[in-house]
Amino acid sequence: MSDEALMARISALEKQNADLRTLVDELKGELDKTEKRLDDIEAAAASGGNSGGQSKKEKKKAAKAEKKDNAKKDGGKKDDKGEEKKFKAATKEGGKKGQDLSGMHDLGGMRYFTVAMEQCEGRWDLLQAAMDGANKEVDESGDDRKGGAGDLGKCFLSVNDADNVCRMLFHMPKDKQQDLSLKEWATVMISDSAVQGTILEESDEVIKAECKGSTEKQLFPLKQRDSAINVSFAHLRSKQLVAEDDDDSEPDMGAMYEESGIEW
């Protein structure tokens, strides 16, 4: 092969190589554009902008999560309705007790009452609802006579089995405590060896106390509740704040309350 032919052959090869490099660069550019389009599609699917980009597995998982959230919301609504019923029941019970206590005060002059509550579940919020019901002012012209015991001394007791405790909510206006202060009343009740309670909060007109059960000490909330009621009655009797029987027998507080329409 002559020199001229060899040079021509080399030139042709170099041109061919240049064309190949150009083609490779173009292919790389197309590949980069394709990868970018794929990234954009994946990003849109992840943000919810393209639900069609989800796989069947992802769609099923999302549907299951949505169903679970809806179930939680429905359960929350049911819980709310259940709580509303509990508050209504506690308020109604408190209103009825208030009506009964007011009637007992009108009949016998008693102004201090210790009452076991059945609808309060040993919960402070339900005890407060019951106390509010008892203290509600009565509309003399209305048919609803519940409440009316705002001026009377009251201790509402309720047991919470889950917490193994008996809780006591006291209330009496400060200007009505001439014969017995709220603090003395509560202290006498919780200090008894069969009760062993503690004052948690106190003000001039309201006291919160509780007595916790203890298997070791043979203390059980239901018995502590009943003991606190008996201690309260004995102390009220010693201060001549309850009606006395004609004979020397021990008064039956339960019978007295039941005669006045109070159920415990």
Side-chain angles (χ1 to χ4, degrees):
M1 181 180 294
S2 64
D3 291 341
E4 291 180 0
L6 180 60
M7 293 299 295
R9 180 62 176 167
I10 292 173
S11 296
L13 289 172
E14 288 177 347
K15 185 177 183 303
Q16 188 176 8
N17 287 336
D19 291 342
L20 287 173
R21 283 195 295 270
T22 300
L23 181 60
V24 169
D25 290 341
E26 290 176 353
L27 290 173
K28 285 183 177 180
E30 289 295 328
L31 182 60
D32 290 341
K33 291 179 181 179
T34 300
E35 289 180 349
K36 187 177 184 305
R37 284 198 295 272
L38 290 173
D39 290 341
D40 291 341
I41 292 172
E42 290 179 357
S47 63
N50 183 11
S51 60
Q54 288 181 316
S55 66
K56 290 184 179 180
K57 185 177 181 181
E58 290 171 334
K59 288 180 180 179
K60 187 175 180 181
K61 185 177 180 180
K64 187 175 181 181
E66 184 178 359
K67 185 177 180 181
K68 188 175 181 180
D69 289 341
N70 290 336
K72 286 183 178 179
K73 291 178 182 178
D74 292 340
K77 291 179 181 178
K78 291 179 181 178
D79 289 342
D80 290 342
K81 290 182 179 179
E83 283 295 293
E84 184 178 350
K85 288 182 179 179
K86 289 180 180 181
F87 274 93
K88 284 184 177 179
T91 302
K92 182 178 180 179
E93 182 184 27
K96 184 63 170 64
K97 298 296 186 187
Q99 181 181 3
D100 293 339
L101 299 179
S102 180
M104 191 170 183
H105 167 68
D106 292 341
L107 288 173
M110 291 181 64
R111 294 193 295 112
Y112 293 83
F113 301 91
T114 318
V115 186
M117 308 299 288
E118 297 297 334
Q119 301 295 329
C120 296
E121 301 181 2
R123 287 172 43 178
W124 290 120
D125 52 355
L126 296 181
L127 278 168
Q128 186 60 58
M131 188 65 73
D132 292 341
N135 290 338
K136 185 186 72 171
E137 293 186 8
V138 176
D139 182 1
E140 299 296 337
S141 62
D143 295 331
D144 187 2
R145 314 299 295 177
K146 295 184 182 68
D151 287 342
L152 302 177
K154 302 170 293 300
C155 173
F156 286 174
L157 303 91
S158 182
V159 171
N160 186 303
D161 293 326
D163 293 342
N164 194 34
V165 67
C166 173
R167 296 191 168 106
M168 297 174 273
L169 180 62
F170 296 79
H171 171 267
M172 190 175 198
K174 184 178 180 180
D175 60 356
K176 304 294 183 181
Q177 300 179 32
Q178 297 90 342
D179 296 324
L180 175 65
S181 71
L182 209 60
K183 179 65 175 289
E184 177 187 341
W185 189 21
T187 300
V188 168
M189 288 174 62
I190 66 174
S191 298
D192 188 81
S193 60
V195 181
Q196 298 188 31
T198 305
I199 291 178
L200 303 179
E201 298 178 19
E202 63 177 296
S203 65
D204 290 338
E205 299 187 348
V206 177
I207 288 180
K208 289 182 178 181
E210 68 176 18
C211 47
K212 294 183 178 180
S214 170
T215 304
E216 181 181 351
K217 297 179 181 179
Q218 292 296 296
L219 295 173
F220 305 97
L222 280 174
K223 290 185 177 180
Q224 289 169 288
R225 181 198 68 182
D226 294 343
S227 295
I229 292 173
N230 290 333
V231 169
S232 171
F233 182 77
H235 188 65
L236 294 175
R237 186 186 182 207
S238 71
K239 298 181 77 68
Q240 298 183 341
L241 295 176
V242 296
E244 292 283 0
D245 285 352
D246 293 334
D247 54 29
D248 295 330
S249 62
E250 186 73 17
D252 184 349
M253 186 177 71
M256 291 178 63
Y257 275 39
E258 289 174 1
E259 287 174 4
S260 299
I262 301 174
E263 300 175 358
W264 55 352

